[in-house]
Amino acid sequence: METFLFWFCGAAMVLGGLMTVVQRSAVVSAVWLIFAFVAAAGIFALLHAPFVAILQVLVYAGAIMVLFLFVIMMLQGPVLEGERRRMKPALWPAVAIPPLAVLVLVGTRIADHGTAAFTTPLPAGFGSPTHVAELLLGRYLLAFELISIALLVAIIGALAIGKEERKLPWK
Amino acid sequence: MEVTMTHYLVLAALLFLTGMTGFIVRRNAIVMLMCVELMLAATNIVFAVFARAHADGGGHVFILMNFAIAAAEAAIGLAILVEIYRRRRTVNVDDLKALME
């Protein structure tokens, strides 16, 4: 069952990623990206991270992608003029060679060393909200507080960029 | 065939490479930002794989950190794009080369 779910979610996610890149309309790209993120939530669930899986749907597929769709629909029509043009054939190798090189490296590595299985047994309740919260407010409290400051700075920055310049408080 | 750690890592690598290629190929700045999100999602999967491999929840905590960073990046990136669109009436990166010329 795990095998089937892995291949199902993995294929869905790769398909979503590819369609995001290939589709010319930004709106269609965004919808495919939501598809990929929902599939990623399935992968997280398979990796015994149920809390992260739910947050992936809520935060990523929900909040962040709604922000993207909102901006796309506010700004422009579906397809940009520049994306109708084909890429110059001379540039194709420059785009294709780095990913292919990485894939060949990974393939040879797997051929030489085989695959690595999960060996460590998991404690009960691994990845549950309680478990993650205990870590977040215990061992990683400093990181948690720092990321909240980073978010605050991001909010202020986004507001400052979006506002008209002469109305900024320090002008 | 049983699903191993390697399967998950290869899946994450594929997604990261897809996002990377998209970032290079696409000319629409909003789609380029979405490709960055795709790369961040791929790194999240790697975090989850190693949290599972070491039975350590620290990976899950840092996935949450990554969510916050992705949200901040999307908010600021889109604010900048809206401002650019207001001034230049385009988000095509080929037309935004004032610093290049």
Side-chain angles (χ1 to χ4, degrees), chain A residues 86-94:
Chain A
R86 294 235 165 240
M87 208 171 60
K88 285 182 207 130
L91 287 176
W92 288 349

Side-chain angles (χ1 to χ4, degrees), chain A residues 164-171:
Chain A
E164 276 181 62
E165 236 166 78
R166 59 195 162 77
K167 285 188 187 156
L168 287 174
W170 55 84
K171 290 269 168 164

